[in-house]
Amino acid sequence: MFSSTRSTVFAIFFAAICAFTVSTAQAQNVNHHDRVEAYTTDVYNINFVAGVPSGLTVDGDGDTDLDLFIYDPYGNLVAWDDDYTDYCICNFVPQYNGTYTVKIKNLGSVWNAYHMWSH
């Protein structure tokens, strides 16, 4: 009877840990100031949660064109903003939990100071 009780307690404990792990998955909150040098790309790894509407905004200093690209954990491009400004908005619903690669590309001949935040 003791081993049966121990097995039951272990099973309940294991189920509780699994439920806790799944229910506490959270997207990474981003609020970051930086600058990207001329003709270069800044790269970030940011966590997103599958099925949760997500987004990033980048607001540059107005000196150059910035483009924003977001790739899922498997390298697929899932959102982008490549217009001719340095104000970029990407909204998407991640298909997978995990770390997404975010690239901010400066197309100009001078550096650009920017603010990036999640929403």
Side-chain angles (χ1 to χ4, degrees):
M1 175 142 176
F2 177 71
S3 66
S4 175
T5 303
R6 187 174 4 167
S7 296
T8 302
V9 169
F10 177 76
I12 292 170
F13 176 75
F14 182 73
I17 293 296
C18 291
F20 177 76
T21 301
V22 170
S23 67
T24 60
Q26 294 181 1
Q28 187 173 339
N29 188 25
V30 175
N31 186 6
H32 182 73
H33 294 268
D34 209 336
R35 76 182 212 181
V36 57
E37 297 300 324
Y39 303 116
T40 62
T41 302
D42 284 359
V43 179
Y44 299 93
N45 294 312
I46 300 174
N47 294 321
F48 289 99
V49 177
V52 176
S54 302
L56 288 175
T57 297
V58 172
D59 187 11
D61 64 16
D63 288 342
T64 66
D65 178 15
L66 297 180
D67 291 341
L68 174 62
F69 303 94
I70 303 173
Y71 299 85
D72 71 15
Y74 301 101
N76 301 305
L77 181 63
V78 296
W80 66 93
D81 183 330
D82 61 355
D83 63 11
Y84 299 103
T85 72
D86 67 346
Y87 187 78
C88 307
I89 301 173
C90 286
N91 295 304
F92 67 108
V93 178
Q95 284 188 288
Y96 311 102
N97 287 332
T99 303
Y100 285 62
T101 301
V102 174
K103 296 182 178 184
I104 300 171
K105 184 175 184 178
N106 183 356
L107 301 175
S109 61
V110 297
W111 57 265
N112 191 312
Y114 62 87
H115 178 203
M116 175 176 60
W117 67 93
S118 58
H119 45 86

